[in-house]
Amino acid sequence: MAKHGNGNSEYLEKIPDVKFTKLFINGEFVDSISGKTFETVDPRTGEVITLVAEGDKEDVDLAVKAARKAFDHGTWPRMSGFERGRIMNKFADLIEQNLEQLAALDTIDGGKLFSLGKEVDIPSASSMLRYYAGAADKIHGETLKMSMELQGYTLLEPVGVVGLIIPWNFPSLLFFIKAAPALAAGCTMVIKPAEQRPVSALFYAHLAKQAGIPDGVLNVINGFGPTAGAAISSHMDIDKVSFTGSTEVGRLIMQAAATSNLKQVSLELGGKSPLIVFDDADVNKAVELALLAVLYNKGEICCAGSRVYVQEGIYEEFEKKIAEKAKSWVVGDPFDPHVQQGPQVDKEQFEKILYYIEQGKKEGGTILTGGKALDKKGYYIEPTIFTDVKEEMTVVSDEIFGPVMSLMKFKTVEEAIERANNTKYGLAAGIVTEDLNIANRVSRSIRAGTIWINCYFALDRGCPFGGYKMSGFGKDKGMQALYKFLQVKAVVTPIYNSPWL
């Protein structure tokens, strides 16, 4: 079984004050119209941290009205890209000044490792702002070569009011993966954080105000998907929705967009990504990569490498070594610097993962290691590895979103490609080999939006990320993400007596 970290008691004093719990509309924190609130829970203990305002359709209407006024009549889309970028850089400065507070909020609100929050998540959020701040004054169209006596050029204009629906697994980073390019483009926005983890989003709203982002440009509505999320997706005055989350909810958003005002939609959805390890791989390095691919962020990551295929020549050695490593993986309080895996985000996700583990056993899978909840307060689950599994089993086919790996053996390159593609998803894949020909062939054969060769989770603000198939469409990060929030306008005038076209 996995190693246990220290008990919760010595880290409970690290709970930060939650300063902001209301909705943020038109530059002010306000109660919801209904006066309703809901609980946000510390997954280390299952205890309530605080109550936050629960937004609904009426609150979304107010936020959209503020965003529409800010877009149609406000300064944000009309100021120079340089000035927008200057304000965005000030926003990034404020994030860095509050780094520990923000990392602690994400830890108590969702079980993320405090050390990684300080080293990765919050710095990545501020750097995302800086990346798009640098792009804000480089948005331009092109001069067209027309076939008739016409002069033509294109403009890139902000799409308008956008709805950004954020998942719970990376609340800080994904807030800015969506908000930063939208801000750079000159859009105004209504942001709905996940109901499981709303508190850091409200802190960011506070910092946005301090940075000088005009009132109405950035609004935050806490609430639930079927109410606040549905109101955003179906709103007649929202021009675009960008969503990260489950494939099932992505379908609902597309339906709502189609039946309302045909708003643009971009979706980054589920995954069941393969990691393929070939015979020539360094087994020790491959084992490290495989564990990282499925246990990082306690497996709550859309591109987790949860299907691991190992070529038969090294399979037995790989299986033995990964079992040993998984058993030594330290699970415990995410404030403990020695801990490698914290609790799952909430009771619902905790029980869902345990259900899938039981299904895997019922369908004939063998537990190599793990398979149980830790015998302690909170939502902790052992790193779990299944062997003797096949693609048709639910533990292999379904996105579990937890620390659960399916380990399988293959013979040939052709078999590996076929089995890797045997999924409705297409978000990412990993390849571990020293053979460049194999790497090139397999990377071009797998139908997924990102392929990592001899690495995993090699994510960068300048590299586009998004899926194929039922993993969605539209790219986050890179310049492609900026273009999602822009639309092309062609401008044409006649020319007379020109010596050339």
Side-chain angles (χ1 to χ4, degrees):
M1 61 184 295
K3 287 187 177 180
H4 294 201
N6 293 328
N8 290 333
S9 58
E10 66 181 287
Y11 297 104
L12 288 177
E13 71 274 10
K14 288 184 176 285
I15 294 180
D17 292 333
V18 179
K19 299 177 182 178
F20 307 106
T21 60
K22 297 183 179 183
L23 311 179
F24 188 77
I25 300 175
N26 203 27
E28 302 292 338
F29 284 102
V30 296
D31 291 318
S32 61
I33 291 175
S34 69
K36 290 182 180 179
T37 61
F38 63 94
E39 297 174 347
T40 184
V41 173
D42 185 344
R44 302 178 303 156
T45 62
E47 296 171 0
V48 175
I49 303 166
T50 190
L51 298 175
V52 297
E54 181 184 337
D56 207 329
K57 182 181 183 301
E58 293 78 12
D59 305 288
V60 170
D61 287 342
L62 287 179
V64 174
K65 183 178 180 181
R68 175 54 63 190
K69 182 179 179 182
F71 185 79
D72 288 349
H73 306 291
T75 59
W76 188 252
R78 290 162 186 83
M79 68 175 63
S80 69
F82 175 83
E83 182 64 14
R84 284 201 300 273
R86 188 189 66 79
I87 295 171
M88 290 170 68
N89 273 314
K90 186 176 180 182
F91 195 177
D93 290 340
L94 292 170
I95 290 170
E96 289 160 8
Q97 291 167 23
N98 291 274
L99 185 149
E100 291 225 359
Q101 171 84 351
L102 289 161
L105 288 174
D106 280 350
T107 297
I108 63 161
D109 207 22
K112 294 182 72 71
L113 294 184
F114 183 56
S115 58
L116 282 180
K118 291 192 298 179
E119 295 166 11
V120 180
D121 286 41
I122 310 305
S124 295
S126 64
S127 70
M128 198 70 62
L129 267 173
R130 295 196 192 280
Y131 177 85
Y132 288 106
D137 62 352
K138 300 170 184 65
I139 297 169
H140 55 81
E142 59 182 346
T143 302
L144 305 174
K145 183 67 174 177
M146 310 289 273
S147 62
M148 297 183 288
E149 290 185 334
L150 300 169
Q151 174 180 289
Y153 61 92
T154 61
L155 299 172
L156 297 181
E157 300 182 341
V159 73
V161 176
V162 298
L164 309 177
I165 303 177
I166 313 297
W168 46 258
N169 57 332
F170 286 89
S172 289
L173 183 54
L174 278 157
F175 186 104
F176 289 101
I177 281 176
K178 297 193 181 299
L183 287 168
C187 294
T188 61
M189 62 207 66
V190 178
I191 301 174
K192 193 198 87 67
E195 58 267 26
Q196 297 89 342
R197 301 175 81 168
V199 296
S200 61
L202 297 170
F203 202 107
Y204 290 124
H206 162 68
L207 296 182
K209 173 91 170 180
Q210 286 190 326
I213 292 178
D215 293 349
V217 171
L218 189 153
N219 305 273
V220 177
I221 301 293
N222 323 311
F224 294 89
T227 51
I232 290 171
S233 303
S234 61
H235 204 287
M236 293 297 292
D237 212 16
I238 287 180
D239 300 300
K240 177 183 175 64
V241 169
S242 179
F243 168 77
T244 295
S246 71
T247 300
E248 292 73 22
V249 175
R251 289 179 187 272
L252 296 175
I253 288 171
M254 285 193 72
Q255 290 170 1
T259 56
S260 56
N261 61 342
L262 282 174
K263 59 179 63 65
Q264 297 180 34
V265 176
S266 56
L267 304 172
E268 195 266 274
L269 306 176
K272 192 72 179 181
S273 299
L275 176 67
I276 307 170
V277 183
F278 289 90
D279 279 343
D280 64 346
D282 180 313
V283 174
N284 292 324
K285 289 182 180 178
V287 164
E288 295 284 352
L289 274 181
L291 280 179
L292 170 73
V294 77
L295 298 182
Y296 186 76
N297 202 51
K298 56 260 182 29
E300 293 173 348
I301 183 165
C302 52
C303 53
S306 52
R307 293 186 294 141
V308 178
Y309 296 95
V310 180
Q311 201 161 16
E312 60 184 359
I314 59 169
Y315 179 87
E316 289 185 8
E317 180 186 1
F318 184 97
E319 182 185 278
K320 179 182 177 182
K321 288 184 173 180
I322 201 166
E324 292 170 355
K325 283 278 187 181
K327 289 172 184 175
S328 67
W329 198 259
V330 183
V331 182
D333 192 296
F335 281 110
D336 183 340
H338 304 292
V339 161
Q340 296 169 285
Q341 179 184 318
Q344 308 308 137
V345 68
D346 62 8
K347 184 178 181 182
E348 181 180 351
Q349 184 64 18
F350 172 77
E351 291 177 345
K352 174 188 170 186
I353 295 165
L354 293 176
Y355 164 80
Y356 271 111
I357 291 172
E358 288 305 307
Q359 283 296 110
K361 291 191 285 188
K362 287 178 182 177
E363 293 177 3
T366 300
I367 296 283
L368 179 65
T369 184
K372 301 187 299 295
L374 269 61
D375 186 17
K376 63 186 297 183
K377 199 173 187 179
Y379 307 130
Y380 298 91
I381 294 177
E382 295 176 338
T384 300
I385 300 175
F386 274 96
T387 58
D388 302 316
V389 289
K390 299 176 181 179
E391 276 76 12
E392 59 268 23
M393 294 181 178
T394 54
V395 74
V396 181
S397 64
D398 287 11
E399 182 180 42
I400 298 173
F401 228 64
V404 182
M405 174 194 295
S406 293
L407 179 59
M408 294 165 279
K409 185 191 303 183
F410 73 92
K411 291 184 179 181
T412 65
V413 175
E414 293 78 11
E415 180 191 350
I417 292 168
E418 182 178 354
R419 294 175 71 181
N421 282 328
N422 186 16
T423 174
K424 63 185 178 182
Y425 298 114
L427 195 53
I431 302 165
V432 188
T433 181
E434 296 301 315
D435 189 323
L436 182 59
N437 291 325
I438 288 177
N440 283 334
R441 177 185 175 188
V442 177
S443 63
R444 285 160 171 75
S445 299
I446 294 176
R447 296 191 63 213
T450 299
I451 308 294
W452 290 302
I453 299 172
N454 295 328
C455 58
Y456 211 86
F457 296 136
L459 299 160
D460 186 87
R461 61 193 180 184
C463 182
F465 181 82
Y468 286 17
K469 300 190 283 187
M470 291 180 69
S471 290
F473 50 84
K475 299 297 184 182
D476 287 331
K477 300 193 290 186
M479 293 302 289
Q480 285 86 346
L482 180 63
Y483 299 142
K484 287 194 310 186
F485 296 102
L486 296 165
Q487 48 194 358
V488 179
K489 175 181 286 182
V491 180
V492 180
T493 59
I495 53 176
Y496 302 101
N497 303 316
S498 174
W500 51 76
L501 294 180

